[in-house]
């Protein structure tokens, strides 16, 4: 059962920001994550501020610089089916299309998808864990098969989004609107590791919301893809995934990013692997070295050692598909 | 089927076996006809218990123990009682709530609200209020003080001397041994001996409609609408709990949104609803939440099976030995079964030892062929490995060792056994030989095929009474006690009536699953519904037919033997032009209706009727990621006569989809630190989706034309359809990769590691 709360439908974006900054306020766009969290008592809310009707937050259109603006309320279905995104930013199209289920993709928004709370079953369940203000992370000595192998520190969640790794791989930025104005932040700097703050996953301050996501123009020779491994064919988060957006010139990789999903508390840039790839042809030897570079810093927990093998496999398959 | 369904051998036989000649060629039975309730089901007009709203109805919710093991010290309800809309708060000390609770037939082992809570999710208190929201608010306001106790959730640890005791008297619930022949000698003399330890996961039923009851009292009479697989079993148990005569308890269930065995036994929620209804003099609905259903309303327990098998080089299976360990959860139930090990193959030397224990976890319930899929998982993989070891094709090896009698029951003969045909025809339709030798493509995807056989053990509880009523206009009312748990029972039975009375399906109305208006039938479980009820339906229809033809013979001045019923008419065989519509029979109009009564005849003496099957799987394994994709499945089943082709195929495909879950995705996870379930929702508990089930599924019915099993020739289908699927997939995975996966489910998590280990990474 949902807790009791006030529901506000603000008349403007400014009002939404003002109301969203209030104590105990949460924003409601697609609601696919929010309602589940409220129902399961993950957190509570005194005020639910609707933003799903705000036209400023909608729309997908090309920008003057040749990039793309994606309004935060764009649904994952819209993004997955958008021909321009499929053509120019394949990794994002695939990421959006592989999330959740058709029903959830019709309802869930890109803004919500990158701001969703972790799916850790201790966080979501009846456990007063560190991230909820408790004193321990139950995953450390518990059922940690779905937890992180990179970036864990006191808390070992994985970031659940399939679009966020794609956006980081593409070098996207988020335009954030809040009570003190607007700021534009690279997606890569948007997410927060447990070592920085164990209670939240993004840099958003109270009242701040993601208004839109800005994609740079696709680089020359860009090839991108997203591959996700999950426990079943649909309605599931990544056990591990790889979002690759690489640019090629003269048969060699000359730029781009490789970002892993499902293995770290944030979309995890495989920076060492990127260094291996750059200036090299994407051949078997480069891929082998990149794969090993991806897992060199992995710190598996007792029940998630398989993720090291899985990252190897999914990265190898992803890179081969771009070669 | 101990703990779940009555033992047919303990049911007194009837003096007069009712014998009808077997059907020859049928006109309706066996065809592909749409479900008689198809419109209601797909249009959403079918009223399930969860949909039911009665005037003045209250809503009840349950307060559950959050600890795996605890004692209730104090329950403070005053704040909840004062909250708006609250009409009743029930705890262990509420007058009338001190009800001893039975799990099975061995006397009470708990209470409705037991102060000793033995698993996380056990019922502690309940609230009934005007709205379900008010009930939840009040439930949260109930303060329960617990003394938290040490818990045990691991089966092996439960047997250790210093393990926390789930019940006084220790955690061992049952140990059994079965043996025939000389296993030791056979192992010593065998050319090949191999084995291994297999583990299967704890699986949750997860029916689409959750567990729900609506209770209403009229004076001392109790009416319960319940999402149940058997209204008569529920009636009996409610009568016991409330000390009422059977006639004062009416249980009704027109539609069930899935049960899979979990809705055979009475849940505490039903009794709590009835109790709250009595206290408040209002109807009360209690719908267990999805999450709480996972905790409290049953599971198929994890099995650990250590298997050893031996064969001679010529392909003779010479010895089978198994040790089975499983937990019933916190209360008496069943956990393991060596039945397949001891019955499926002809094997002179066999031994099995079973150990069942209590743990601080939700109680096991019947679950589509309860412990058979785990046993098939271990046995059929071992058989596959033996065949390879002696260099024989797995199909050929199985064919060489098929049992022809039930060795578990002193070599009792079967009324029919189509297992050989299932394997041969299945392999042929599947293209076994060519698929088996298919070359691998380059790259990291590996294809493989595997198969597994199975059988089911429950012949059914042979008692049911059915009424068939023919109205003056030629339309028909079928009145039967059986529940249709989504399998198409109503359609099958209507087809039986149509077969005998020659009326179209649209002219048949069905009343069923209501203890107030229909006659006894056993619960729909154990694959017995068609087996038990269809002969009774046939007998009732034949009774009507006899009376009708007598009337018609007099009016048409022709002998009854020369008349048949077809298309709503009485047709003289030698003068079809003289056919008369039923509505024009004066004698029928004069009587207004003809009522026929049919009773299920006893099982045949000295023989047993059981179904058999073989299933084949074609898989693709991604050797980089460990993902397993089931590309194609084929099921060849001897379930006797195909009564209704579409529902038959539905059962087979549904059973296999469930087998994909058992083999590839599903696994209840309990947190070792707290004993609490961490995946009690539909996201974290991985039921397969449409994308996990192959498009290419083939159903190959094998009909041995069994004229002895019963008067319709049908054997059960529901459980066998689920038994060998996971094992066939595991054997296909082995064929694809050379990796023998001992632990179900074969997740990418497990497979990617096993593949890496095999490569030596």
């Amino acid at each position: 059962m949902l807790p009791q709360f006030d529901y506000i439908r603000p008349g403007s974006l400014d009002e939404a920001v003002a109301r969203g900054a209030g104590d105990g306020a949460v924003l409601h766009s697609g609601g696919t994550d929010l309602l589940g969290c409220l129902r399961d008592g993950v957190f509570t809310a005194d005020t639910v501020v609707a933003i799903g009707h705000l036209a400023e937050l909608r729309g997908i259109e090309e920008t003057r610089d040749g990039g793309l603006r994606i309004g935060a309320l764009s649904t994952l279905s819209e993004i997955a089916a958008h021909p321009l995104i499929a053509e120019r930013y394949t990794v994002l199209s695939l990421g959006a299309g592989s999330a959740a289920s058709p029903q959830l993709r019709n309802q869930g928004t890109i803004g919500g998808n990158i701001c969703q709370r972790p799916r850790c079953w201790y966080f979501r369940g009846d456990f007063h864990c560190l991230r909820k203000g408790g004193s321990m992370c139950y995953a450390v000595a518990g059922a940690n098969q779905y937890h992180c192998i990179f970036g864990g520190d006191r808390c070992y969640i994985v970031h659940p989004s399939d679009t966020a790794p794609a956006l980081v791989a593409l070098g996207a930025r988020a335009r954030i609107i809040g009570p003190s104005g607007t700021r534009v932040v690279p997606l890569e700097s948007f997410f927060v590791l447990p070592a920085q703050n164990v209670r939240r996953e993004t840099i958003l301050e109270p009242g701040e919301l993601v208004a839109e996501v800005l994609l740079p123009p696709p680089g020359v020779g860009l090839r991108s893809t997203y591959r996700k491994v999950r426990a079943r064919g649909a309605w599931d988060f990544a056990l591990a995934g790889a979002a690759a957006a690489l640019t090629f010139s003269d048969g060699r990789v000359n730029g781009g990013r490789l970002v892993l999903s499902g293995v770290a508390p944030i979309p995890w840039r495989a920076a060492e692997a990127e260094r291996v790839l750059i200036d090299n042809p994407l051949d078997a030897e480069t891929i082998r070295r990149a794969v090993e570079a991806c897992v060199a810093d992995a710190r598996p927990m007792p029940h998630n050692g398989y993720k090291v093998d899985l990252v190897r496999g999914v990265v190898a398959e992803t890179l081969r598909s771009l070669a | 089927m101990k703990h779940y369904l009555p033992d047919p051998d303990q049911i007194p036989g009837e003096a007069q076996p009712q014998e009808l000649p077997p059907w020859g060629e049928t006109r309706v039975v066996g065809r592909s006809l749409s479900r008689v309730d198809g419109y209601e089901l797909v249009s959403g007009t079918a009223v399930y218990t969860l949909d039911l709203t009665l005037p003045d109805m209250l809503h009840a919710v349950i307060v559950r123990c959050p600890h795996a093991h605890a004692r209730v010290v104090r329950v403070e309800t005053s704040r909840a009682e004062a909250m708006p809309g609250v009409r009743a708060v029930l705890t262990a000390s509420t007058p009338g709530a001190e009800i001893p609770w039975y799990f099975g037939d061995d006397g009470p082992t708990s209470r409705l609200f037991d102060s000793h809570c033995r698993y996380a999710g056990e019922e502690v208190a309940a609230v009934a209020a005007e709205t379900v929201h008010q009930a939840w608010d009040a439930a949260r306001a109930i303060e329960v003080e617990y003394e938290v106790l040490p818990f045990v959730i691991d089966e092996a640890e439960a047997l250790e001397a210093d393990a926390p005791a789930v019940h006084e008297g220790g955690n061992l619930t049952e140990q059994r041994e079965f043996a025939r022949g000389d296993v030791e000698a056979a192992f010593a003399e065998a050319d090949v001996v191999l084995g291994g330890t297999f583990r299967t996961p704890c699986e949750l039923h997860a029916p689409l409609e959750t567990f729900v009851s609506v209770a209403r009292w009229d004076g001392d009479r109790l009416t319960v609408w319940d999402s149940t697989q058997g209204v008569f079993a529920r009636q009996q148990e409610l009568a016991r709990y409330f000390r009422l005569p059977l006639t004062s308890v009416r249980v009704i269930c027109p539609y069930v949104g899935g049960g899979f065995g979990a809705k055979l036994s009475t849940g505490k929620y039903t009794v709590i609803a009835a109790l709250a209804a009595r206290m408040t003099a209002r109807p009360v609905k209690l719908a267990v939440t999805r999450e709480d259903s996972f905790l409290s309303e049953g599971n198929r327990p994890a099995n650990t099976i250590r298997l050893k098998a031996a064969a001679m080089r010529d392909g003779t299976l010479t010895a089978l030995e198994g040790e089975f360990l499983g937990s019933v959860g916190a209360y008496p139930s069943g956990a393991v079964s060596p039945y397949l090990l001891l019955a499926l193959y002809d094997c002179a030397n066999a031994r099995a030892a079973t150990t069942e224990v209590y743990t601080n976890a939700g109680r096991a319930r019947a679950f589509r062929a309860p412990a058979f899929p785990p046993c098939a998982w271990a046995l059929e993989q071992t058989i596959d490995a033996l065949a390879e070891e002696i260099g024989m094709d797995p199909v050929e090896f199985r064919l060489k060792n098929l049992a022809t009698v039930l060795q578990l029951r002193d070599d009792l003969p079967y009324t029919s056994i189509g297992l050989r045909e299932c394997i041969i025809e299945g392999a042929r339709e599947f293209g076994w030989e060519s698929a088996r030798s298919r070359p691998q493509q380059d790259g990291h995807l590996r294809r493989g095929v595997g198969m597994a056989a199975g059988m089911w053990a429950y012949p059914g509880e042979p008692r049911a009474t059915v009424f068939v009523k023919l109205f003056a206009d030629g339309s028909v009312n079928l009145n039967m006690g059986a529940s249709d748990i989504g399998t198409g029972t109503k359609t099958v039975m209507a087809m039986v009536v149509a077969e005998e009375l020659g009326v179209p399906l649209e002219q048949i109305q069905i009343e069923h699953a209501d203890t107030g208006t229909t006659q006894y039938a056993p619960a729909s479980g154990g694959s017995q519904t068609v087996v038990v009820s269809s002969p009774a339906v046939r007998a009732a229809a034949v009774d009507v037919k006899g009376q009708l033809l007598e009337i018609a013979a007099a009016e048409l001045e022709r002998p009854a033997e020369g008349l048949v019923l077809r298309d709503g008419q009485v047709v003289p065989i030698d003068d079809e032009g003289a056919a008369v519509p039923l509505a024009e029979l004066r004698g029928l109009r004069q009587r207004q209706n003809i009522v026929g009564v049919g009773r299920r005849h006893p099982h045949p003496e000295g023989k047993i009727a059981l179904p058999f099957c073989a299933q084949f799987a074609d898989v693709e394994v991604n050797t980089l990621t460990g993902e397993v994709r089931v590309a194609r499945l084929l099921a060849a089943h001897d379930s006797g006569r195909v009564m209704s082709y579409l529902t038959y195929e539905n059962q087979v495909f549904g059973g296999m989809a469930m087998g994909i879950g058992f083999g590839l995705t599903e696994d209840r996870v309990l947190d070792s630190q707290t004993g609490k379930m961490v995946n009690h929702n539909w996201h974290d508990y991985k039921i397969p989706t449409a994308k996990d089930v192959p498009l290419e599924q083939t159903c190959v019915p094998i009909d041995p034309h069994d004229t002895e099993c019963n008067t319709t020739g049908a054997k059960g289908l529901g459980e066998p359809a689920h038994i060998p699927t996971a094992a066939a997939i595991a054997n296909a995975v082995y064929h694809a990769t050379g990796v023998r996966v001992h632990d179900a489910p074969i997740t990418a998590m497990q497979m990617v590691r096993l593949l890496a280990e095999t490569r030596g990474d």
Side-chain angles (χ1 to χ4, degrees):
Chain A
M1 286 297 129
L2 291 170
Q4 199 155 354
F5 53 76
D6 292 330
Y7 190 80
I8 293 170
R9 190 178 160 89
S12 68
L13 183 55
D14 286 346
E15 190 190 344
V17 167
R19 301 304 294 259
D23 279 348
V26 294
L27 300 178
H28 176 224
S29 51
T32 57
D33 191 40
L34 175 69
L35 298 184
C37 284
L38 291 177
R39 185 180 178 279
D40 293 342
V42 176
F43 54 79
T44 190
D46 300 321
T47 311
V48 172
V49 181
I51 57 169
H53 59 290
L54 298 174
E56 302 97 303
L57 305 180
R58 295 202 164 276
I60 300 174
E61 61 259 333
E62 284 189 81
T63 54
R64 259 176 270 160
D65 66 352
L68 203 66
R69 171 199 170 273
I70 302 175
L73 290 179
S74 304
T75 66
L76 298 185
S77 296
E78 285 166 357
I79 292 169
H82 198 282
L84 208 61
I85 296 176
E87 184 195 328
R88 296 185 190 167
Y89 307 102
T90 313
V91 60
L92 178 59
S93 180
L94 294 174
S98 69
S101 66
Q103 295 94 327
L104 288 164
R105 291 196 294 272
N106 288 341
Q107 180 73 14
T109 65
I110 184 82
N113 189 259
I114 63 176
C115 295
Q116 64 184 306
R117 305 303 310 272
R119 304 300 311 196
C120 167
W121 47 30
Y122 295 108
F123 176 70
R124 295 269 167 168
D126 181 23
F127 299 88
H128 192 52
C129 77
L130 203 57
R131 191 163 287 273
K132 289 192 288 195
S135 59
M136 68 180 280
C137 169
Y138 287 83
V140 172
N144 48 38
Q145 52 267 52
Y146 293 115
H147 289 78
C148 69
I149 58 171
F150 299 109
D153 182 353
R154 296 180 293 150
C155 165
Y156 295 85
I157 59 161
V158 295
H159 199 274
S161 174
D162 293 307
T163 59
L167 293 172
V168 172
L170 290 168
R173 293 168 301 151
R175 195 160 73 86
I176 297 167
I177 297 178
S180 50
T182 293
R183 53 178 175 149
V184 176
V185 177
L187 251 289
E188 199 189 351
S189 313
F190 180 75
F191 301 100
V192 171
L193 279 167
Q196 297 164 260
N197 187 335
V198 80
R199 297 293 305 276
R200 60 194 220 190
E201 297 83 43
T202 72
I203 59 168
L204 292 179
E205 297 293 336
E208 282 194 319
L209 59 83
V210 176
E212 58 199 28
V213 171
L214 300 164
L215 292 173
V220 176
L222 176 68
R223 295 179 210 164
S224 77
T225 190
Y226 181 60
R227 172 74 162 91
K228 169 183 179 180
V229 177
R230 51 189 142 189
R232 63 181 169 194
W235 190 25
D236 215 349
F237 294 87
L239 296 173
L246 301 176
T247 54
F248 290 78
S249 169
D250 296 333
R252 289 170 186 271
V253 178
N254 71 348
R257 292 178 177 181
L258 177 63
V259 183
L260 306 177
S261 64
V263 291
I266 61 173
W268 191 253
R269 254 188 98 172
E272 201 53 46
E274 290 171 6
R275 274 189 280 281
V276 168
L277 294 170
I278 304 250
D279 295 333
N280 280 307
L282 199 52
D283 58 16
E285 175 57 17
T286 306
I287 291 173
R288 190 193 62 74
R289 286 173 45 227
V291 162
E292 287 315 309
C294 274
V295 297
D297 295 332
R299 288 166 183 256
M301 302 174 82
H303 304 296
N304 71 3
Y306 75 91
K307 285 200 177 189
V308 177
D309 303 307
L310 198 50
V311 167
R312 281 195 180 100
V314 78
V315 168
E317 199 181 304
T318 302
L319 294 178
R320 283 182 199 177
S321 75
L322 291 181
Chain B
M1 288 312 93
K2 188 169 178 285
H3 303 291
Y4 302 134
L5 293 166
D7 180 353
D9 293 340
Q10 301 305 314
I11 296 167
E14 305 215 349
Q16 283 292 315
Q18 187 172 1
E19 288 301 341
L20 290 170
W23 280 317
E25 198 167 311
T26 55
R27 299 168 63 88
V28 181
V29 165
R31 287 175 57 195
S32 291
L33 300 178
S34 296
R35 292 206 183 191
V36 294
D37 53 0
Y39 177 82
E40 288 84 343
L41 295 173
V42 300
S43 65
T45 56
V47 177
Y48 291 80
T49 309
L50 197 58
D51 301 321
L52 194 66
T53 301
L54 298 181
D56 298 324
M57 187 176 82
L58 300 174
H59 296 266
V61 304
I62 293 172
V63 177
R64 295 175 186 276
C65 175
H67 307 290
H69 198 190
R71 259 178 214 290
V72 175
V73 177
R74 192 177 60 89
V75 184
E76 179 53 55
T77 61
S78 53
R79 200 156 68 87
E81 281 164 13
M83 289 176 70
V86 173
R87 296 292 171 258
V89 176
L90 290 75
T91 69
S93 58
T94 303
E98 303 117 337
I99 297 177
W101 196 262
Y102 294 77
F103 292 103
D105 302 327
D106 301 333
T109 42
S110 182
R111 310 184 73 74
L112 183 62
F113 298 112
D114 197 326
S115 63
H116 183 177
C117 297
R118 297 177 176 90
Y119 69 94
E122 181 139 10
E123 297 83 351
V124 173
V127 179
E130 297 287 343
T131 72
V132 71
H133 300 90
Q134 289 172 328
W136 276 114
D137 285 346
R140 292 207 179 97
I142 292 177
E143 294 157 35
V144 185
E145 187 186 322
Y146 294 99
E147 176 196 353
V148 179
L149 302 172
F151 65 88
V152 60
I153 53 171
D154 180 88
E155 304 91 80
E157 285 171 18
L159 288 170
E160 289 169 9
D162 57 350
V166 181
H167 289 267
E168 280 177 32
N171 295 333
L172 182 66
T173 69
E174 189 171 81
Q175 260 180 323
R176 298 180 74 188
E177 293 213 19
F178 309 80
R180 63 172 179 259
D182 187 341
V183 174
E184 291 308 327
F187 280 130
E189 289 162 16
D191 291 335
V192 174
V193 178
L194 55 77
T197 300
F198 297 83
R199 177 150 175 100
T200 58
C202 178
E203 205 182 2
L204 301 167
H205 300 76
L208 198 54
E209 182 188 30
T210 59
F211 297 75
V212 52
S213 304
V214 178
R216 184 182 75 195
W217 291 84
D218 301 286
D220 288 335
R221 285 177 299 139
L222 171 64
T223 303
V224 173
W225 290 261
D226 190 29
S227 180
T228 176
Q229 294 176 233
V231 291
F232 293 93
R234 192 68 82 253
Q235 177 197 30
Q236 289 169 4
E237 292 185 18
L238 288 172
R240 177 172 66 183
Y241 285 125
F242 289 98
R243 299 177 185 199
L244 292 169
L246 287 169
T247 189
S248 297
V249 179
R250 181 175 177 190
V251 179
I252 305 169
C253 183
Y255 293 95
V256 194
F260 311 113
K263 291 175 182 171
L264 284 171
S265 57
T266 302
K268 287 185 175 179
Y269 59 92
T270 307
V271 172
I272 291 170
L275 202 54
R278 194 167 68 182
M279 287 170 64
T280 58
R282 302 267 295 270
V284 171
K285 181 178 194 172
L286 202 167
V288 180
T289 63
R290 181 80 60 203
E291 291 84 347
D292 289 348
S293 296
F294 280 124
L295 298 179
S296 291
E297 307 305 337
N299 58 73
R300 185 200 315 274
N303 275 200
T304 302
I305 303 173
R306 195 193 61 76
L307 221 66
K308 192 173 162 190
M312 305 307 285
R313 289 263 166 229
D314 70 354
T316 309
L317 182 68
T318 54
L320 285 168
E321 184 183 65
E323 282 175 22
F324 297 71
L325 172 64
S327 170
V328 297
Y331 292 102
S333 188
V336 300
S337 168
Y339 193 102
L340 285 176
L341 181 87
L342 300 172
L344 187 59
Y345 295 106
D346 181 17
C347 187
N349 310 294
R351 187 165 67 198
T354 64
T355 303
E356 297 181 323
V357 300
Y358 288 126
T359 52
N360 293 113
R363 175 181 170 260
R365 287 189 189 171
F367 192 150
R368 203 168 193 169
F372 280 52
C375 189
W377 173 263
L379 174 65
E380 287 300 275
Q381 288 207 70
T382 303
I383 292 291
D384 203 65
L386 262 185
E388 184 184 41
E389 192 66 25
I390 59 173
M392 196 176 261
D393 183 274
V395 163
E396 190 190 344
F397 182 60
R398 284 182 174 83
L399 288 174
K400 196 168 164 55
N401 291 289
L402 294 182
T404 52
V405 292
L406 184 52
Q407 298 156 92
L408 263 172
R409 301 263 307 261
D410 301 325
D411 291 349
L412 191 64
Y414 297 113
T415 55
S416 64
I417 173 165
L419 182 54
R420 176 169 298 276
E421 290 71 23
C422 287
I423 295 174
I424 292 172
E425 284 303 302
R428 195 178 58 74
E429 289 274 339
F430 186 75
W432 172 259
E433 283 185 21
S434 61
R436 196 75 183 165
S437 55
R438 182 173 53 190
Q440 293 291 354
Q441 304 292 311
D442 291 339
H444 57 278
L445 301 178
R446 289 274 177 282
R447 291 290 289 266
V449 292
M451 59 93 50
M455 64 179 290
W456 175 236
Y458 191 60
E461 174 197 331
R463 50 186 172 186
T465 304
V466 168
F467 293 172
V468 169
K469 180 162 63 179
L470 178 75
F471 290 99
D473 64 353
S475 64
V476 175
N477 180 299
L478 165 60
N479 178 296
M480 63 175 182
S483 296
D484 185 338
I485 55 173
T487 56
T489 302
K490 281 189 277 181
T491 304
V492 171
M493 302 306 169
M495 287 167 76
V496 171
V497 172
E499 184 70 41
E500 292 295 348
L501 296 183
V503 294
L505 281 192
E506 309 79 65
Q507 292 282 306
I508 301 169
Q509 284 298 322
I510 300 170
E511 284 168 11
H512 78 301
D514 180 340
T515 64
T517 61
T518 65
Q519 325 318 314
Y520 182 87
S524 288
S527 301
Q528 67 176 336
T529 313
V530 169
V531 171
V532 170
S533 282
S534 71
V537 171
R538 185 179 176 213
V542 167
D543 186 4
V544 170
K545 181 158 77 173
Q547 298 176 56
L548 182 64
L549 289 180
E550 203 175 305
I551 290 170
E555 280 185 45
L556 301 180
E557 297 178 347
R558 294 170 183 270
E561 303 78 57
L563 301 173
V564 295
L565 299 173
R566 192 189 302 155
D567 305 326
Q569 297 180 311
V570 182
V571 183
I573 297 168
D574 55 3
D575 184 7
E576 299 198 359
V580 177
L582 297 184
E584 290 178 16
L585 290 174
R586 281 192 320 278
L588 179 56
R589 288 211 303 279
Q590 195 275 326
R591 275 172 64 171
Q592 281 298 311
N593 61 39
I594 295 173
V595 177
V597 180
R599 299 179 70 187
R600 176 56 155 89
H601 53 78
H603 289 317
E605 291 276 342
K607 288 193 174 185
I608 188 163
L610 297 176
F612 300 87
C613 60
Q615 293 185 356
F616 298 76
D618 186 346
V619 306
E620 179 186 83
V621 182
N622 183 324
T623 57
L624 285 175
T625 61
E627 293 160 288
V628 176
R629 182 177 72 86
V630 181
R632 135 180 114 96
L633 290 172
L634 180 141
H637 282 256
D638 161 23
S639 287
R641 181 189 295 277
V642 178
M643 300 291 287
S644 149
Y645 190 82
L646 286 181
T647 62
Y648 189 102
E649 204 177 56
N650 281 172
Q651 276 278 36
V652 167
F653 294 168
M656 292 197 296
M658 208 172 211
I660 289 172
F662 181 68
L664 297 182
T665 62
E666 296 181 41
D667 187 5
R668 180 191 74 179
V669 181
L670 301 180
D671 173 49
S672 58
Q673 305 158 96
T674 59
K676 293 162 76 138
M677 198 188 303
V678 291
N679 58 345
H680 56 302
N681 61 66
W682 266 3
H683 167 255
D684 289 312
Y685 183 77
K686 312 287 184 190
I687 291 168
T689 67
K691 295 186 84 168
D692 300 293
V693 178
L695 207 53
E696 198 178 338
Q697 297 186 88
T698 312
C699 171
V700 181
I702 302 294
D703 182 357
H705 303 290
D706 190 332
T707 57
E708 293 183 80
C709 60
N710 58 60
T711 57
T712 60
K715 301 192 282 184
L717 180 60
E719 348 261 317
H722 178 52
I723 291 170
T725 315
I729 291 170
N731 286 336
V733 167
Y734 176 78
H735 183 232
T737 62
V739 176
R740 178 65 67 194
V741 187
H742 288 236
D743 296 354
I746 310 176
T747 58
M749 311 193 226
Q750 182 184 190
M751 198 64 205
V752 75
R753 196 81 274 275
L754 292 174
L755 288 162
E757 282 167 11
T758 307
R759 284 194 301 266
D761 288 4

